[in-house]
Amino acid sequence: MAFTIKVNGNTHTVDVDDDTPLLWVLRDVLGMTGTKFGCGMALCGACTVHVDGAAIRSCITPIESVGNSAVTTIEAIGATAAGARIQKAWLDREVVQCGYCQSGQIMSASALLASNPHPTDADIDNAMSGNICRCGTYVRIREAIKQAAQSTGQGG
Ligand code: FES
Ligand code: FES
C-alpha cells in the first residue's frame, strides 16, 4: 500500500507492504544508501536514523509506524547544529576506520548532543551502547563526542 513519509525535509510516497522496515524503504526504494544494514535485529546500530529527533533502529521500524514523523538520515544530519558539530569532531579526531558502522554512530551521537549538550561519560555510554564497531573506534568516538560538546555554545 502507499505510504507518504517525510525524509530530510522532503515528502516521498512509497508503495510497500505495511511491515516493510524503514531501512529497506530508505535504501532500496529511495536509494539513500548512507544508512547501513548490519544485523537486521536491532543489535548493531548500523541502521540508526532519527524519527522526530530520536535515534531509532530503522531495521526494526515498520514503515506503517512512521506516519507523519520527520525522518532524518546521515545524508542530512550535517544540516543540523548538533550533527554539524559531531561531523566536524569526527573529522578532527579521525574517528573512522572501515566506516561501516559510522553512519549509525554519528546518528546516535547527534541525537545525544541535540538532547543533552553536555553529556557525562555515563550519558555517552548509555546513548552509544547499542552501536557496535568491529574496528574498535570507541575511544575516538568518545573523544569526538566530548569535543563536539565542548564546542556547544561557542558558536561552533
Ligand atoms: S541493522 Fe539495525 S541494528 Fe543492526
Ligand atoms: S569503523 Fe569499522 S566497524 Fe566501525
Side-chain angles (χ1 to χ4, degrees), residues 19 26 29 47 59 70 84 112-113 120 125 134 138 145 148-149 152 154 156:
D19 59 354
L26 292 171
V29 180
C47 67
C59 68
L112 169 64
L113 206 62
T120 64
D125 288 347
R134 292 187 66 180
Y138 301 110
I145 292 172
T152 302
Q154 297 176 6

Side-chain angles (χ1 to χ4, degrees), residues 39-116:
C39 64
M41 296 186 292
L43 297 173
C44 76
C47 67
T48 304
V49 301
H50 296 181
V51 172
D52 288 338
I56 60 99
R57 309 302 184 219
S58 63
C59 68
I60 58 156
T61 302
I63 188 71
E64 64 180 344
S65 74
V66 175
N68 290 323
S69 297
V71 178
T72 306
T73 71
I74 188 68
E75 284 86 356
I77 196 61
T80 70
R85 282 198 298 275
I86 287 290
Q87 288 188 323
K88 180 180 185 309
W90 244 243
L91 290 172
D92 288 349
R93 298 285 171 159
E94 299 183 344
V95 169
V96 176
Q97 195 160 322
C98 85
Y100 198 85
C101 73
Q102 296 291 332
S103 300
Q105 304 281 4
I106 286 170
M107 295 308 287
S108 289
S110 300
L112 169 64
L113 206 62
S115 64
N116 180 357

